[in-house]
Amino acid sequence: VQHACGTRELDRLGGLAKAMPATAALFLLGAAAISGLPPLNGFASEWLVGLGALAALRLEATDLASFAGLALPALAFIGGLAAACFVKVHGAVFLGSPRTAAATHAHEAPRTMLAAMAILALACAAIGLFPQLWIAPLVRAAAAWSGWPERELASAAQPAAAGAAGISAIAAVVLLAAALLVVLRRRVAREPAARAETWGCGFAAPTVRMQYTASSFAQMLVDRFSWALRPHGSLRPPRGLFPRDARFESHVTDTVLDGALMPATRVIERAANLVRPLLLQPRIHLHVAYLLATLLLVLAWRFLG
């Protein structure tokens, strides 16, 4: 998308499914996979993790069982948020109408880029439809990490993988049946479907600026989690009988990056700037003293620790 439009800003895109149908389809498949929907790899992995958490609940009341009890609702919560996120992204980027000239003149990605995405899409489908083929290396890795015997882990993993494969097969059949119905309906229909403009909310001449943006789509979720996301907004409402302009802007800062990591980095940077003049003194005996102090600290840590 950046290659075709020169930007990754969601609100400067839109309507790319017409100019980039293959990219839109591959992006949709990847979005479904990362949201944990069958018959793709994200569902198979979440199915195995979920069954593992259910099995751990049968253990004695230990920290592991308590953690497993939290894993199931956490998986459902994360899957729901991922689905909402990618519905927003796919809708804002590929559906609707182009919001800028760059999106209007977009072009399909070259074959090399499509091939890379297609290979990953096939891998997502292969893992989701045939998860049993990938259980053996997973069991070996889990055995090396946990210390449990491979045979015991495989006896639990194989039925779980078979269950995921069964659900993925049913989902694949349903999707294929729906696709066939759409194709048959188009062929059987004698007259083309009537086309009309999308309802413009009563406006006689709606513009592309009146469609949903990525921010407006996510507003309900952002408001729900405003205690953690801390959204910022500025409003200049229309005034007077014949208002000429009005403006609204909203921005959500990254809670982890802007709220924790960047302030900590600035503190470390200020401390380093204070220490730097002492370390860069052009005196050989001072550097020898630094080496000696470091050696003494390492020895003290080694023998006292």
Side-chain angles (χ1 to χ4, degrees):
V1 169
Q2 185 173 8
H3 177 267
C5 303
T7 180
R8 291 183 299 172
E9 187 69 33
L10 298 185
D11 290 337
R12 296 182 61 83
L13 300 169
L16 297 186
K18 296 179 180 178
M20 310 175 68
T23 299
L26 290 169
F27 186 96
L28 182 62
L29 191 145
I34 202 170
S35 299
L37 299 178
L40 301 169
N41 60 322
F43 166 75
S45 62
E46 289 195 8
W47 179 263
L48 292 176
V49 174
L51 289 183
L54 285 175
L57 290 176
R58 295 198 296 266
L59 301 175
E60 297 179 359
T62 61
D63 292 339
L64 180 61
S66 302
F67 177 78
L70 294 175
L72 290 173
L75 274 178
F77 179 69
I78 294 171
L81 288 182
C85 169
F86 282 98
V87 166
K88 177 194 77 171
V89 174
H90 192 273
V93 173
F94 295 103
L95 304 182
S97 301
R99 295 179 176 86
T100 60
T104 302
H105 300 95
H107 56 82
E108 182 59 277
R111 292 181 179 180
T112 50
M113 291 185 177
L114 294 178
M117 291 189 289
I119 291 172
L120 294 176
L122 289 174
C124 291
I127 295 173
L129 290 171
F130 309 103
Q132 305 98 318
L133 301 179
W134 322 100
I135 285 298
L138 288 178
V139 165
R140 289 196 297 270
W145 174 74
S146 65
W148 285 28
E150 289 189 21
R151 182 179 302 177
E152 193 169 340
L153 292 175
S155 64
Q158 289 292 350
I167 296 176
S168 293
I170 294 173
V173 171
V174 171
L175 289 174
L176 287 175
L180 288 174
L181 286 175
V182 172
V183 173
L184 289 174
R185 183 178 181 275
R186 288 185 176 181
R187 290 190 175 184
V188 172
R190 297 179 179 179
E191 298 180 358
R195 293 178 177 270
E197 291 184 0
T198 305
W199 181 55
C201 303
F203 287 96
T207 66
V208 295
R209 296 180 65 239
M210 296 178 184
Q211 61 185 330
Y212 264 76
T213 63
S215 300
S216 59
F217 185 89
Q219 180 181 356
M220 288 187 293
L221 280 174
V222 171
D223 291 343
R224 177 69 63 181
F225 297 100
S226 59
W227 55 272
L229 299 177
R230 300 180 180 277
H232 305 283
S234 61
L235 172 64
R236 187 174 66 197
R239 301 182 185 279
L241 295 177
F242 302 99
R244 291 183 176 273
D245 59 351
R247 189 177 186 85
F248 172 74
E249 294 180 357
S250 63
H251 177 66
V252 179
T253 58
D254 191 307
T255 304
V256 176
L257 180 64
D258 298 327
L261 296 181
M262 292 304 296
T265 301
R266 286 192 287 269
V267 171
I268 296 172
E269 183 180 6
R270 286 195 293 267
N273 289 331
L274 293 175
V275 176
R276 184 182 300 170
L278 300 176
L279 297 178
L280 297 181
Q281 291 289 337
R283 300 175 184 176
I284 189 66
H285 63 277
L286 193 58
H287 290 277
V288 172
Y290 292 152
L291 291 174
L292 180 60
T294 303
L295 178 62
L296 291 175
L297 287 174
V298 171
L299 290 174
W301 173 78
R302 173 67 181 84
F303 289 107
L304 297 179

